[in-house]
């Protein structure tokens, strides 16, 4: 099945099974804003717990905060967001649709890459085990031609971005003959910069209302609390501050479901280090964060690092962790070496000293910062994309979400085989014993087969069936979602069996 069809199916699945709903749906929706349903919120909470604990439990020098969404407007002047948090936009004059110029060019690059990969895959099939991919890439003429095309376009694009040359971005679109997907024409306007921050007013207009912004990243809430945390927590450099919270961006090209939203959630950690050590820490956090992703078992080949074409105004190194979504490799997380830019700017704009006295060096300095920044919603989409499976079975088929048991919204469903003979009561008794440790669901409607399918579709890793034998020997069958195998076990052992599989320790051991 085409990857695009799979993506459409998983979007529909998210809605049908209570994971994600369009915001304000009964009023025809609000663009690029989504609500999480009864299972979605559980998955989201589990993702956040996995991230939070991996930061603040596993690192004694990382602590958390929860700062406000509204902040003093000068913060955004100091951070550079008022002047430079822009997207280069271009409009198609026929369809009147607006696009991000850089995204149009990136998609063109991805198309060339796709051609190369297709060529490689074809040869791989033809030559089987004897295939030498490196040699093939270095000698096949079609691959070489496309690679040369990719390199030339990539260099031109990177140069235009670095120079902030909007005319050149437009010229690339024209030269590459990129057409609007809606109108099919190449009738483009100039490229213009568009600021992504949402603004609102605080206080009544009579008093002279203050223009405030909805934060476009949570990081600034950490920077402006650096001194508070360092002093009250007696933190010694190197140390980190972690935060999870909402961020808002007026995204113009909002597509691909929850991949690019106008209201989303970030999990960010700013790690404060001695100047000069930041690139070592950058490498260390790159490695740690990649291990965090890979620990989920979605396949190492589905991740890669992507170096930035253009460094943000505050960074001296930056890389994205990309995951292979059904619509291609895309950014899930950014790791940035932000230098002392933010703290120095806040020193300048606030007039307050933001320094660290390093007792080992016997000197004060503005710390450098390495940041890890991941979107909760993109991580959610990664989990759903990796977990969604359609399986053909002997007699029928099933749709199953093979969400890692640690993250699954519901850990077990308890099902009485029939609604009589004391089986429902026994099932409820099991839930009453396990509900303090695991999210349990009671399910007695329909045949056992239908109930299994229902639980497969929401990704419940364990189904426990109570039958007539249960009354005799206090045993039940436990059915495993991924293998569909069943086992007879003692009720007394259920907590241990399930606990071993859903413990976050399984993941933390791999980081
Ligand atoms: N503090 C640095 C920062 O905000 P970013 O690369 O702009 O860096 C970090 O964003 C992460 O936030 C991204 O890797 C992505 O996961 C998530 N993110 C950014 N914009 C988003 C959007 N419009 N919708 C969903 N997630 C988004």
């Amino acid at each position: 099945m085409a990857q695009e069809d799979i993506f459409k199916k998983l979007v529909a699945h998210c809605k049908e099974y209570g994971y994600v709903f369009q915001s304000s749906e009964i009023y025809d929706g609000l663009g690029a804003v989504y609500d999480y349903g009864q299972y979605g919120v559980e998955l989201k909470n589990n993702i956040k717990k996995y991230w939070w604990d991996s930061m603040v439990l596993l690192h004694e020098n990382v602590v958390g905060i929860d700062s406000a969404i509204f902040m003093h407007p000068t913060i955004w002047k100091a951070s550079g967001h008022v002047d430079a948090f822009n997207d280069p936009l271009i409009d198609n004059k026929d369809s009147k649709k607006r696009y991000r110029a850089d995204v149009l060019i990136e998609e063109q690059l991805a198309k060339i890459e796709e051609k190369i990969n297709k060529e490689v895959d074809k040869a791989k099939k033809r030559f089987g085990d004897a295939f030498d991919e490196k040699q093939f890439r270095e000698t096949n003429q079609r691959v070489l031609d496309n690679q040369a095309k990719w390199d030339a376009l990539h260099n031109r694009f990177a140069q235009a971005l670095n120079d902030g040359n909007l005319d050149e971005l437009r010229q690339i679109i024209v030269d590459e003959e990129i057409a609007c997907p809606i109108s099919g024409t190449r009738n483009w306007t100039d490229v213009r910069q568009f600021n992504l921050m949402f603004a609102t007013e605080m206080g009544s207009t009579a008093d002279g209302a203050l223009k405030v912004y909805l934060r476009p990243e949570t990081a600034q809430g950490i920077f402006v609390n650096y001194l508070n945390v360092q002093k009250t927590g007696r933190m010694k450099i190197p140390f980190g501050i972690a935060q999870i919270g909402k961020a808002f961006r007026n995204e113009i090209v909002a597509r691909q479901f929850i991949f690019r939203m106008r209201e989303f959630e970030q999990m960010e950690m700013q790690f404060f280090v001695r100047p000069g050590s930041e690139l070592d820490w950058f490498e260390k956090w790159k490695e740690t964060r990649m291990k965090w992703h890979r620990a989920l078992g979605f396949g190492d080949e589905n991740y890669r690092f992507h170096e930035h074409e253009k460094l943000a105004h505050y960074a001296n190194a930056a890389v994205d962790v990309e995951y292979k979504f059904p619509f291609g490799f895309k950014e899930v997380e950014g790791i940035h070496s932000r230098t002392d830019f933010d703290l120095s700017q806040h020193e300048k704009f606030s007039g307050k000293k933001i320094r660290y006295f390093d007792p080992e060096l016997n000197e004060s300095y503005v710390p450098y910062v390495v940041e890890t920044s991941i979107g909760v919603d993109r991580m959610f989409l990664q989990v759903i994309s990796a977990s969604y499976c359609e399986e053909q079975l002997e007699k029928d088929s099933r749709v199953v979400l093979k969400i890692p048991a640690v993250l699954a919204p519901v850990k077990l469903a308890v099902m009485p085989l029939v609604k009589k003979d004391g089986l429902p009561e026994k099932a409820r008794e099991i839930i009453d014993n396990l509900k303090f440790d695991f999210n349990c669901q009671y399910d007695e409607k329909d045949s056992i087969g239908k109930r299994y399918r229902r639980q497969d579709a929401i990704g419940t890793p364990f189904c426990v069936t109570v039958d007539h034998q249960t009354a005799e020997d206090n045993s039940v069958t436990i059915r495993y979602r991924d293998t569909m195998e069943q086992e007879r076990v003692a009720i007394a052992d259920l907590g241990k069996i399930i606990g071993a599989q859903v413990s976050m320790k399984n993941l933390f051991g791999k980081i």
Side-chain angles (χ1 to χ4, degrees):
M1 195 186 313
Q3 292 293 296
E4 258 172 40
D5 294 337
I6 292 188
F7 187 61
K8 273 190 202 146
K9 284 194 175 187
L10 71 86
V11 173
H13 191 87
C14 278
K15 176 168 183 208
E16 188 179 347
Y17 288 94
Y19 272 86
V20 183
F21 306 125
Q22 173 71 61
S23 159
S24 322
E25 194 184 345
I26 58 169
Y27 290 94
D28 296 332
L30 187 65
V33 187
Y34 289 90
D35 298 336
Y36 287 85
Q38 64 276 24
Y39 298 122
V41 67
E42 296 289 345
L43 172 56
K44 221 175 158 205
N45 284 342
N46 293 341
I47 290 171
K48 288 194 261 188
K49 185 163 171 51
Y50 176 39
W51 183 87
W52 185 265
D53 287 357
S54 76
M55 286 293 172
V56 304
L57 287 191
L58 301 196
H59 300 96
E60 62 177 273
N61 58 351
V62 177
V63 293
I65 62 162
D66 182 18
S67 71
I69 287 172
F70 288 131
M71 291 193 274
H72 195 286
T74 310
I75 287 173
W76 304 110
K77 191 78 192 146
S79 67
H81 283 83
V82 171
D83 298 317
F85 193 54
N86 300 321
D87 272 348
L89 300 182
I90 191 165
D91 293 37
N92 181 270
K93 290 182 195 165
D94 300 317
S95 67
K96 309 269 181 274
K97 286 277 168 202
R98 186 163 282 182
Y99 299 92
R100 263 176 62 179
D102 56 334
V103 171
L104 287 179
I105 301 171
E106 273 168 10
E107 283 172 357
Q108 184 76 354
L109 282 165
K111 272 188 199 156
I112 305 175
E113 203 179 332
E114 180 91 333
K115 275 189 197 158
I116 298 176
N117 290 339
K118 266 197 187 141
E119 210 65 57
V120 172
D121 286 347
K122 241 177 21 198
K124 214 180 254 172
K125 274 198 196 119
R126 198 156 13 112
F127 295 115
D129 288 345
F131 183 61
D132 180 342
E133 182 171 333
K134 187 167 175 289
Q135 193 197 16
F136 182 78
R137 282 179 183 270
E138 285 167 1
T139 53
N140 179 277
Q141 199 50 48
R142 271 194 296 268
V143 170
L144 288 174
D145 290 347
N146 276 319
Q147 189 61 49
K149 248 193 229 167
W150 191 93
D151 290 342
L153 177 57
H154 181 257
N155 290 341
R156 195 175 164 198
F157 174 47
Q159 187 69 42
L161 282 182
N162 272 318
D163 298 345
N165 188 340
L166 302 183
D167 291 340
E168 174 67 352
L169 282 180
R170 181 180 190 279
Q171 198 53 48
I172 296 175
I173 291 169
V174 171
D175 292 349
E176 289 293 318
E177 301 184 344
I178 296 172
C180 164
I182 309 288
S183 67
T185 70
R186 300 181 190 124
N187 196 6
W188 297 110
T189 62
D190 287 342
V191 176
R192 274 164 299 136
Q193 294 286 22
F194 179 87
N195 192 284
L196 295 180
M197 281 198 296
F198 284 104
T200 185
E201 289 184 343
M202 188 176 263
S204 80
T205 16
D207 298 332
L210 191 63
K211 180 177 180 185
V212 290
Y213 297 99
L214 297 187
R215 64 181 179 197
E217 62 170 12
T218 60
Q220 296 303 325
I222 295 179
F223 290 125
V224 297
N225 276 296
Y226 159 79
L227 274 185
N228 285 336
V229 175
Q230 192 272 318
K231 292 227 154 78
T232 58
R234 292 179 296 115
M235 307 303 291
K236 289 201 176 59
I237 270 179
F239 75 91
I241 304 179
Q243 164 155 246
I244 300 179
K246 289 269 185 165
F248 305 83
R249 296 183 189 177
N250 195 3
E251 300 281 3
I252 295 305
V253 185
R255 269 183 298 165
Q256 285 151 344
F257 192 38
I258 54 173
F259 183 81
R260 199 176 298 287
M261 304 155 87
R262 295 198 167 104
E263 174 180 340
F264 57 101
E265 209 164 358
Q266 287 186 315
M267 306 188 277
E268 297 201 294
M269 195 276 303
Q270 311 294 321
F271 199 69
F272 300 91
V273 304
R274 205 179 261 178
S277 68
E278 72 275 11
L279 293 180
D280 291 338
W281 283 108
F282 175 72
E283 289 305 321
K284 190 180 168 326
W285 279 108
K286 250 174 87 175
E287 194 189 316
T288 308
R289 293 305 303 147
M290 189 54 108
K291 281 191 192 157
W292 183 90
H293 284 278
R294 288 184 171 165
L296 289 169
F298 298 149
D300 290 359
E301 70 285 2
N302 292 321
Y303 296 91
R304 70 181 186 191
F305 284 121
H306 170 79
E307 305 284 339
H308 282 205
E309 318 300 348
K310 180 191 176 204
L311 290 178
H313 55 278
Y314 50 71
N316 68 358
V319 77
D320 294 335
V321 176
E322 292 190 339
Y323 176 74
K324 195 173 181 192
F325 288 99
F327 44 85
F329 271 103
K330 292 277 178 231
E331 171 189 347
V332 179
E333 170 157 11
I335 299 152
H336 313 122
S337 171
R338 291 181 77 129
T339 67
D340 61 350
F341 175 83
D342 301 270
L343 291 183
S344 296
Q345 286 291 98
H346 290 309
E347 247 197 13
K348 199 163 107 195
F349 279 75
S350 69
K352 309 267 175 359
K353 281 246 166 297
I354 307 181
R355 303 272 156 141
Y356 174 75
F357 177 72
D358 193 323
E360 283 171 34
L361 299 180
N362 199 26
E363 67 178 60
S364 290
Y365 52 76
V366 179
Y368 272 48
V369 172
V370 173
E371 159 185 83
T372 72
S373 174
I374 172 170
V376 179
D377 313 270
R378 276 198 201 169
M379 189 58 207
F380 184 106
L381 189 57
Q382 184 195 129
V383 174
I384 294 284
S385 305
S387 307
Y388 181 87
C389 292
E390 293 180 8
E391 284 182 355
Q392 197 53 48
L393 307 174
E394 250 171 52
K395 289 194 188 119
D396 60 352
S397 63
R398 68 169 183 160
V399 174
V400 52
L401 288 184
K402 293 187 176 176
I403 299 175
V406 187
L407 299 183
V410 178
K411 303 300 187 209
L412 78 153
V414 185
M415 311 168 165
L417 187 63
V418 289
K419 282 189 250 177
K420 54 182 185 178
D421 304 335
L423 302 191
E425 290 75 10
K426 194 74 196 165
R428 294 259 181 224
E429 200 183 300
I430 292 172
I431 289 183
D432 282 343
N433 277 323
L434 295 178
K435 70 182 176 191
F436 303 106
D437 294 314
F438 314 115
N439 188 331
C440 306
Q441 198 169 84
Y442 176 80
D443 195 356
E444 63 172 21
K445 196 169 173 291
D446 300 321
S447 70
I448 280 286
K450 272 197 182 155
R451 283 182 260 174
Y452 282 160
R453 290 292 169 271
R454 206 156 45 224
Q455 295 300 330
D456 287 344
I458 62 169
T460 309
F462 309 101
C463 287
V464 168
T465 304
V466 175
D467 55 23
H468 290 97
Q469 195 185 324
T470 309
E472 288 163 25
D473 62 4
N474 271 323
S475 72
V476 285
T477 53
I478 181 163
R479 180 250 192 197
Y480 299 97
R481 175 196 67 198
D482 298 351
T483 59
M484 295 187 289
E485 273 165 17
Q486 299 188 20
E487 223 184 332
R488 195 91 205 164
V489 301
I491 291 175
D493 291 338
L494 277 177
K496 213 165 64 197
I497 294 169
I498 295 166
Q501 305 252 357
V502 304
S503 165
M504 291 250 173
K505 281 188 198 161
N506 297 329
L507 300 180
F508 294 150
K510 297 180 194 162
I511 298 174

